[in-house]
């Protein structure tokens, strides 16, 4: 297929909660991956240097005949401005942190039937904590969430890390949190979606999930697209995402085997439990373009399958309190067939 339409889901009005609509991104899908060339430029005895590589289709300028009178990179002697992405490897997750928004760029986890069957961790012994590995001035604070109206929304859920207390404690760091709407989303539809991911282990022996926030544009009354989001804290500190994504890699367990890929984008808003999960399915390229990240670049297309063509992509609605009780009892998750 020569063209792919990328659908990115936008939130609807508050009267109806979260109903998916589309912000369309059009792009030609490349049949091959372009190569990247790194050129090292040195100043020779004659004071000349080879020209930098030019974008395709543009003519290269004539070689420079003088030594540049300025050195912009000399700034680095005083320190590199950034951005710096804090990579956090932990027992139950690996994440990359965005110092600007005080939220993660992405958080990756790995679940298996064995990991979910273990019950060595109990969330009543875990506590929300600021991530001291993040410099204090870029850190999300516990006080930022106080009376904010938002839940401290796990990106890797605690229920996926019952296999040890340390693993569960790792999920309670604020670097694994984003502000999420509580009733109707974090405690409801989003939790059912997390349960869907766990139930995938009934079909796949290895499931990898990448979760993170998005800040998507919406069209204003003037017809222009604008990005607008709340910032919580006093002073304002943590950005409130407009949407969240999950990219799922369901592995068949064989060396060099097949991987079923699924990508979903959900608005950070109330979503009725009768809303089909497939309504939030998007091409993986849509998440990449919206997030600035890339997924599965080293996974050959010959090994990929579409998750929602392999299994039914639907949530199983459970009451929040009942689900919380089941988390601590190690109950068997219903399987997807």
């Amino acid at each position: 297929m020569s063209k792919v339409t990328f659908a990115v889901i936008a939130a609807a009005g508050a009267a109806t909660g979260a109903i998916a609509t589309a912000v369309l991104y059009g792009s030609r899908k490349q049949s091959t991956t372009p190569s990247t060339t790194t050129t090292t430029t040195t100043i020779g005895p004659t004071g000349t240097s080879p020209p930098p590589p030019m974008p395709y289709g543009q003519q290269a300028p004539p070689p420079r005949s003088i030594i540049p009178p300025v050195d912009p990179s000399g700034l680095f002697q005083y320190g590199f401005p950034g951005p710096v992405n804090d990579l956090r490897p932990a027992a139950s997750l690996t994440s990359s942190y965005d110092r600007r928004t005080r939220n993660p760029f992405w958080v990756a986890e790995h679940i298996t039937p064995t990991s979910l069957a273990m019950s060595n961790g109990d969330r009543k012994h875990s506590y929300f904590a600021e991530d001291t590995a993040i410099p204090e001035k870029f850190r999300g604070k516990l006080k930022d969430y106080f009376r904010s109206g938002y839940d401290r929304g796990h990106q890797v859920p605690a229920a996926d890390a019952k296999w040890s207390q340390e693993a569960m404690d790792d999920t309670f760091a604020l670097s694994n949190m984003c502000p999420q709407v509580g009733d109707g989303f974090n405690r409801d539809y989003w939790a059912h979606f997390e349960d869907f991911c766990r139930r995938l282990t009934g079909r796949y022996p290895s499931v990898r999930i990448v979760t993170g926030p998005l800040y998507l544009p919406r069209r204003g009354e003037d017809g222009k697209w604008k990005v607008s989001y709340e910032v919580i804290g006093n002073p304002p500190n943590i950005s409130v995402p407009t949407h969240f994504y999950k990219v799922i890699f369901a592995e068949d367990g064989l060396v060099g085997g097949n991987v079923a890929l699924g990508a979903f984008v959900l608005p950070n808003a109330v979503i009725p439990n009768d809303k089909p999960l497939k309504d939030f399915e998007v091409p993986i390229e849509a998440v990449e373009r919206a997030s600035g990240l890339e997924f599965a670049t080293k996974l050959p297309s010959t090994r990929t399958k579409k998750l929602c063509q392999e299994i039914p992509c639907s949530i199983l609605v459970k009451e929040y309190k009942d689900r919380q009780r089941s988390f601590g009892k190690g109950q068997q998750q219903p399987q997807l067939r």
Side-chain angles (χ1 to χ4, degrees), residues 11 91 134 277 283:
I134 308 294
L277 180 59

Side-chain angles (χ1 to χ4, degrees), residues 116-328:
L116 294 180
M118 300 171 70
S119 297
N120 299 321
D122 190 332
R123 65 182 300 141
K124 71 181 180 182
H125 300 309
S126 298
Y127 302 93
F128 292 98
E130 297 173 12
D131 191 336
T132 56
I134 308 294
E136 196 275 337
K137 61 184 174 182
F138 302 124
R139 193 183 303 161
K141 309 289 197 327
L142 290 168
K143 66 180 182 180
D144 294 328
Y145 283 91
F146 182 66
R147 293 182 176 175
S148 69
Y150 292 96
D151 283 3
R152 293 166 290 198
H154 286 70
Q155 300 303 279
V156 170
D160 291 0
K162 296 182 299 181
W163 52 271
S164 84
Q165 190 62 50
E166 177 190 3
M168 181 164 287
D169 291 346
D170 287 338
T171 69
F172 279 82
L174 290 192
S175 57
N176 182 46
M177 305 289 161
C178 291
Q180 288 186 326
V181 171
D183 288 335
F185 186 67
N186 181 46
R187 306 175 204 172
D188 293 282
Y189 202 96
W190 184 254
H192 305 323
F193 186 24
E194 293 171 335
D195 176 68
F196 163 79
C197 295
R198 285 188 286 274
R199 289 188 288 116
L200 289 173
T201 59
R203 167 75 177 268
Y204 301 96
S206 175
V207 179
R208 303 182 189 275
I209 307 162
V210 185
T211 306
L214 293 173
Y215 310 87
L216 300 184
R218 60 189 306 170
R219 193 190 295 273
E221 294 181 358
D222 59 1
K224 297 179 179 180
W225 292 97
K226 301 176 183 177
V227 177
S228 177
Y229 52 84
E230 186 178 350
V231 182
I232 62 173
N234 187 20
N237 194 41
I238 303 178
S239 301
V240 179
T242 64
H243 295 71
F244 291 93
Y245 70 84
K246 281 187 183 289
V247 177
I248 300 171
F249 302 74
E251 303 169 339
D252 66 9
L254 302 176
V255 176
N258 292 326
V259 180
L261 291 177
F264 302 84
V265 173
L266 281 66
N268 188 13
V270 174
I271 303 177
N273 282 331
D274 59 357
K275 187 73 173 172
L277 180 59
K278 273 188 66 65
D279 285 0
F280 301 110
E281 183 189 15
V282 298
I284 194 170
E285 295 90 348
V287 179
E288 292 178 327
R289 294 193 62 184
S291 66
L293 306 171
E294 290 186 298
F295 306 93
T297 56
K298 294 185 178 180
L299 180 64
S301 59
T302 54
R303 293 179 52 198
T304 62
K305 294 182 176 293
K306 293 184 177 181
L307 180 66
C308 292
Q309 291 182 0
E310 296 292 302
I311 52 95
C313 286
S314 59
I315 64 170
L316 179 64
V317 177
K318 298 171 66 178
E319 290 299 323
Y320 182 72
K321 292 182 180 179
D322 294 339
R323 186 176 60 257
Q324 290 295 94
R325 285 195 294 266
S326 71
F327 283 168

Side-chain angles (χ1 to χ4, degrees), residues 59-107:
Q59 190 175 15
R64 291 182 295 190
S65 59
I66 62 172
I67 298 176
V70 295
D71 177 21
S73 296
L75 173 71
F76 299 158
Q77 66 183 300
Y78 306 118
F80 180 66
V84 174
N85 301 328
D86 299 281
L87 189 66
R88 181 193 179 211
S92 54
L93 57 89
T94 298
S95 66
S96 176
Y97 185 77
D98 181 356
R99 294 183 174 190
R100 183 180 63 87
T101 64
R102 277 62 162 173
N103 287 319
F105 282 116
W106 53 265
V107 187

